[in-house]
Amino acid sequence: MMPKEKVRRFVFECAVLIVFSIGLFILGSIISGEKLDERIQFIYDRRFENVLPADRYSEIESELLSGYPNIKHVYSAYDEEGTVTGYVLDTVVEDDEGKTLHILTGVTHDGERLTGLKHIADEEDPIGITEDEINAVSSQTIGKQIPVSLNKDESDKDETISQVSRIRGLHDGIYFAQAKNKDSNGYIDYVEIEVTDGLITKVQWDALNVDRTTQNRREASLSGAYTVSGESWANQAYNLCHAFLDIQDPTRLAMKSDGKTEIIENVTTDIRPFVDLVEECIDNSRAGFDKEAYIAEQKAVLNTLFEGSADELGVMTKDGLMVYSFHEYPNLFSLYDENGGYIKELTIREMATGPDNLAQEGYDYEEEEITNEKDDTYSAEDGYIPGSGRSIMTDSVDGLPMSEIRTFIDGFGGDREHYSYVITGINTDYKFLKDYLNWMA
């Protein structure tokens, strides 16, 4: 029989051996993992260096990609300090015959400018674009703002007339409107518009939650925490906002009594909050009551209810928006006549400036005849306002309103249709990043 001392030593040695073996396994795994990561980074670097040079790359996994089937992969690019410097997008564009174009694009961290464009040229049935055509697009887009559009063909640049509709009386600036009460999920909707040269050029629809630990509705939709029938709420809001930019007038969205619309593809959600708030934004613009004045009045209203400012009450977000539902004070915004009869619900602006009758069913439009003349400033497809330095578009490119296009290119000979496929790839990447970065639509 083995002495107890030897048994203890044997057990101890076995334990040491096991610990040592586990340590070697862990160390081997770490070394192996590091070498695998080095090999992956080497492959990324060789593939992306001409599109967006970076210290390292990491592939993005996002449910949002399900709404962009043409985008196969998206990568974040980082510098030595671990700061995101931009994005690389791997995109395949397909024509009506099933032929494809495979490209890589690099975009700056803010999604604003193209850093690089590369044709992968591994298509089984390629569209047939030449490298000269790729280089022609690259030379006119790299370093430029996106999205992108082709200029009209020279043969189409004869003098033409376009009709541009705009709501009368809009003042340039940023305007804001927010629901006074939370919905059944605790969300408070808000809409923000930007008016430039008398046209609405940007619009954002989102919602804050009274539970400050809950994501905004757009963020919650992208993460899967907030769901609606059909496409994600974020995608539907995006489609709605862009449809509105094209038509300018919320009454033209054809909202039915149940708050739905049938004229915008893939929008099945209730659009009433958007319509109500964008109408309020339009009225605020016509009255010159901008976002800063709106939020200041919100704070003033809250201050009439409580001893303490909105900041002291902790209801302001880091972006300066107020998160408070007035549902416990149903008569706070009600206007009554001398006999106590209810007249209307006042808006935030009307609380500050007094009631008015700006809101209406359908807005007063003016039609302008715009002449496209052949001069050095011509760069648009549908309309140019002489002397304004900008183009007013009534059409769209790749589902983007022409007012949003930032760079126009000519191409240098070859097949113009080929150029359009490259542009579609760039604009598809732009739309994804716009959603991914939660930009203002």
Side-chain angles (χ1 to χ4, degrees), residues 10 18-19 44-45 90-91 96 110 118 141 158 180 198 202 208 224 252 259 267 317 350 363 375 385 401:
F10 176 76
I18 292 171
V19 171
Y44 285 166
D45 189 62
D90 186 336
T91 305
D96 294 336
D110 54 7
K118 180 180 179 180
T141 56
D158 296 330
K180 301 184 186 72
K202 291 183 179 180
L208 306 166
R252 295 185 179 181
V267 174
T317 70
E350 289 174 323
Y363 289 91
D375 60 17
I385 294 182

Side-chain angles (χ1 to χ4, degrees), residues 191-212:
V191 168
E192 180 173 314
I193 68 172
E194 182 172 339
V195 179
T196 306
D197 293 341
L199 284 173
I200 301 169
T201 55
K202 291 183 179 180
V203 58
Q204 181 187 27
W205 177 27
D206 204 346
L208 306 166
N209 201 288
V210 291
D211 179 357
R212 299 294 292 278

